[in-house]
């Protein structure tokens, strides 16, 4: 048996999961622990981490290091994504991680992020209930990954594309954090749609038959759409959500003031200033996919909300590879 830890350090939050693997498969020891650190604050403009953002993420890394030591973890993989790819001072961040965890972060490409997100999202769903091909949409703070594939062989995805649009990046770029003006929303929509159009030249969106949405934005908007007033993970994970229902919520939330968003108890406090931008990205992604499918004679009216994505993929991939090495 081996014990592994995966850390997913994104633009808005950092997450930890610990699991063991033996001949019977993967066993989660420490379910996802999330801390909102806003590492990507200002990166879209300044292309560098701020000292305040680094302090927040260092505090979380210190906490995670203690948990990892307590569980006598054999292997750790620290994955950094969009914000770290863009930060010119990332060496300081990388050095701190090495000092605390003894490893350097993997600053993965958008395509690798997409592959791991697909693996994580499809590994826990009963895919026999859904029609292939499956499109996993991982809507993060700095980027959004689209990955098309067949869950029967998640290591062989058909196509993937990483778009530099996310809840933090778009909120800062178009000032969508507090009752945005309609011209700001329109400019953001033009930017988002342009990114999706470019993505569609790589990912054949017209072929999609099942959409699986992962990330905090997607699950949060799904919770609001089904009428939750407090977030209940078990009621969201694997739930089929009608696109029309969530679209109405998306369009309402993006136009809210910060005061109004603060009344949405289902939204994590660390996400309330950027949830409007995230909702707008999710709304446009769903519309563009639906339009592409319908133009090809298909029809798609819903998606599957999933609590599982990149972090699950990191842990499963690491555990599978390392267990195979020691078993060879």
């Amino acid at each position: 048996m081996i014990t592994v830890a995966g850390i997913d350090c994104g633009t808005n939050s950092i997450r930890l999961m610990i699991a063991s693997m033996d001949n019977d498969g993967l066993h989660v020891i420490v379910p996802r622990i999330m801390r909102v650190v806003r590492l990507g604050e200002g990166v879209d403009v300044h292309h560098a981490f701020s000292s305040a953002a680094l302090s927040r993420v260092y505090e979380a890394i210190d906490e995670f290091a203690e948990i990892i030591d307590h569980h006598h973890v054999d292997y750790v993989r620290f994955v950094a994504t969009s914000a770290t790819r863009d930060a010119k001072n990332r060496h300081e961040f990388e050095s701190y991680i090495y000092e605390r965890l003894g490893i350097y972060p993997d600053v993965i490409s958008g395509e690798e992020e997409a592959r791991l997100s697909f693996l994580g999202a499809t590994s826990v769903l009963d895919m026999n209930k859904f029609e292939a091909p499956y499109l996993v949409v991982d809507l993060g703070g700095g980027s959004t990954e689209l990955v098309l594939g067949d869950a029967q062989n998640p290591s062989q995805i058909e196509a993937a594309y990483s778009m530099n649009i996310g809840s933090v990046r778009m909120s800062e770029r178009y000032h969508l954090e507090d009752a945005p003006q309609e011209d700001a929303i329109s400019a953001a929509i033009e930017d988002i749609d342009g990114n999706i159009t470019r993505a569609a030249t790589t990912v054949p969106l017209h072929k999609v038959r099942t959409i699986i949405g992962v990330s905090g934005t997607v699950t949060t908007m799904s919770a609001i759409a089904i009428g939750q007033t407090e977030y209940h993970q078990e009621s969201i994970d694997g739930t089929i959500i009608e696109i029309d229902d969530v679209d109405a919520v998306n369009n309402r939330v993006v136009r809210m003031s910060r005061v109004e968003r603060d009344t949405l108890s289902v939204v994590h406090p660390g996400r309330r200033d950027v949830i409007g931008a995230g909702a707008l990205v999710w709304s446009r992604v769903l519309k563009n996919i639906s339009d592409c499918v319908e133009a090809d004679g298909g029809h798609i009216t819903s998606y599957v909300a999933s609590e599982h994505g990149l972090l699950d993929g990191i842990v499963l991939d690491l555990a599978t590879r390392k267990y195979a090495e020691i078993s060879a």
Side-chain angles (χ1 to χ4, degrees), residues 24-321:
D24 294 324
L26 192 74
H27 313 279
V28 175
I29 298 170
V30 177
R32 181 184 62 186
I33 299 173
M34 181 189 76
R35 299 290 179 260
V36 175
V37 293
R38 194 62 59 83
L39 179 62
E41 184 177 48
V43 168
D44 188 58
V45 175
H46 303 293
H47 305 291
F49 296 134
S50 69
S51 57
L54 287 174
S55 294
R56 291 192 295 267
V57 79
Y58 291 166
E59 182 178 351
I61 290 170
D62 290 345
E63 177 190 0
F64 289 177
E66 291 183 6
I67 296 170
I68 288 168
D69 287 344
H70 176 75
H71 288 279
H72 306 291
V73 169
D74 300 304
Y75 305 99
V76 181
R77 187 180 187 192
F78 189 114
V79 166
T81 55
S82 176
T84 309
R85 288 194 292 264
D86 294 346
K88 59 190 178 186
N89 63 337
R90 76 188 209 191
H91 62 279
E92 178 185 346
F93 170 65
E94 292 169 338
S95 296
Y96 190 88
I97 293 165
Y98 183 79
E99 178 184 327
R100 293 297 285 115
L101 299 174
I103 58 168
Y104 284 106
D106 289 333
V107 185
I108 61 174
S109 68
E111 289 70 27
E112 172 69 356
E113 185 176 351
R115 181 187 75 84
L116 291 171
S117 294
F118 188 86
L119 174 64
T122 59
S123 66
V124 295
L125 289 173
D126 182 357
M127 301 310 296
N128 293 322
K129 294 181 179 179
F130 309 110
E131 184 181 357
Y134 315 105
L135 182 80
V136 171
V137 183
D138 187 350
L139 199 170
S143 65
T144 296
E145 281 65 49
L146 304 176
V147 52
L148 185 72
D150 184 338
Q152 300 305 314
N153 192 358
S155 64
Q156 297 292 322
I157 60 177
E158 180 177 341
Y161 191 91
S162 180
M163 303 181 290
N164 273 336
I165 53 174
S167 59
V168 176
R169 192 184 297 271
M170 301 308 289
S171 187
E172 291 183 352
R173 186 177 293 176
Y174 295 101
H175 307 291
L176 303 179
E177 63 275 5
D178 189 2
Q181 298 297 310
E182 287 300 322
D183 58 347
I185 295 173
S186 296
I189 288 173
E190 184 177 357
D191 190 353
I192 295 165
D193 286 356
N195 274 274
I196 299 170
T197 298
R198 288 189 290 277
T201 64
T202 299
V203 181
L205 298 179
H206 65 279
K207 297 172 66 173
V208 175
R209 290 301 175 265
T210 299
I211 302 170
I212 304 170
V214 305
S215 81
T217 292
V218 173
T219 54
T220 298
M221 299 313 299
S222 301
I224 297 173
I226 66 172
Q228 285 191 359
T229 55
E230 298 293 336
Y231 191 80
H232 298 289
Q233 175 179 326
E234 65 279 0
S235 300
I236 294 299
D237 192 28
T239 299
I240 298 172
I241 308 290
E242 292 299 314
I243 291 175
D244 284 348
D245 291 344
V246 80
D247 194 51
V249 173
N250 286 337
N251 283 298
R252 178 166 57 88
V253 169
V254 72
R255 290 170 171 81
M256 283 183 174
S257 67
R258 177 58 197 269
V259 171
E260 290 174 308
R261 291 176 190 170
D262 283 342
T263 67
L264 300 174
S265 55
V266 73
V267 182
H268 189 286
R271 188 172 279 122
R272 287 175 187 166
D273 59 332
V274 298
I275 193 63
L280 186 62
V281 173
W282 186 223
S283 176
R284 301 311 299 176
V285 167
L286 290 172
K287 175 170 175 48
N288 277 271
I289 295 170
S290 299
D291 288 349
C292 287
V293 171
E294 290 187 10
D296 196 53
H299 196 51
I300 192 163
T301 61
S302 62
Y303 66 91
V304 184
S306 176
E307 285 281 351
H308 305 274
L310 178 58
L311 181 59
D312 301 78
I314 293 166
V315 170
L316 180 57
D317 181 70
L318 176 62
T320 301
R321 287 189 291 106

